[in-house]
Amino acid sequence: MSQDFTLLIEEDYAEKNFSIYVPELRLSAVGDTEEEALLCAKELIEISLASNPSLNLYATKVLRMEIPRFTNSFISTAI
């Protein structure tokens, strides 16, 4: 039986690595490459499920929110 999980992948330019967050399990993984981080995340998920087969998953919702960019037209100056 297979199960789908949400993965949030972020590239960290300062640290020069990739981090992955699995919100349903509250797990994080890091790797030097995206592929390495994905492999670590997969292993962590498998270990979590194997050690606790009746593990309750956290509810997850993925949303995107559009925020207008700040422009100077919003700044008022008093003279």
Side-chain angles (χ1 to χ4, degrees), residues 40-69:
C40 290
K42 183 177 186 281
E43 290 173 357
L44 281 173
I45 292 168
E46 289 170 345
I47 290 168
S48 293
L49 295 176
S51 64
N52 190 355
S54 60
L55 185 67
N56 289 328
L57 303 179
Y58 293 92
T60 300
K61 184 186 285 189
V62 177
L63 301 174
R64 292 191 59 85
M65 180 183 294
E66 183 176 340
I67 306 293
R69 290 190 179 260

Side-chain angles (χ1 to χ4, degrees), residues 3-55:
Q3 197 165 1
D4 289 335
F5 291 95
T6 304
L7 302 176
L8 172 64
I9 304 170
E10 295 181 311
E11 183 175 4
D12 187 334
Y13 295 111
E15 297 294 325
K16 297 182 176 140
N17 64 18
F18 289 83
S19 62
I20 296 181
Y21 179 61
V22 186
E24 293 92 344
L25 297 171
R26 304 292 197 260
L27 293 175
S28 295
V30 177
D32 291 333
T33 64
E34 184 175 343
E35 294 78 19
E36 183 180 307
L38 283 166
L39 180 60
C40 290
K42 183 177 186 281
E43 290 173 357
L44 281 173
I45 292 168
E46 289 170 345
I47 290 168
S48 293
L49 295 176
S51 64
N52 190 355
S54 60
L55 185 67

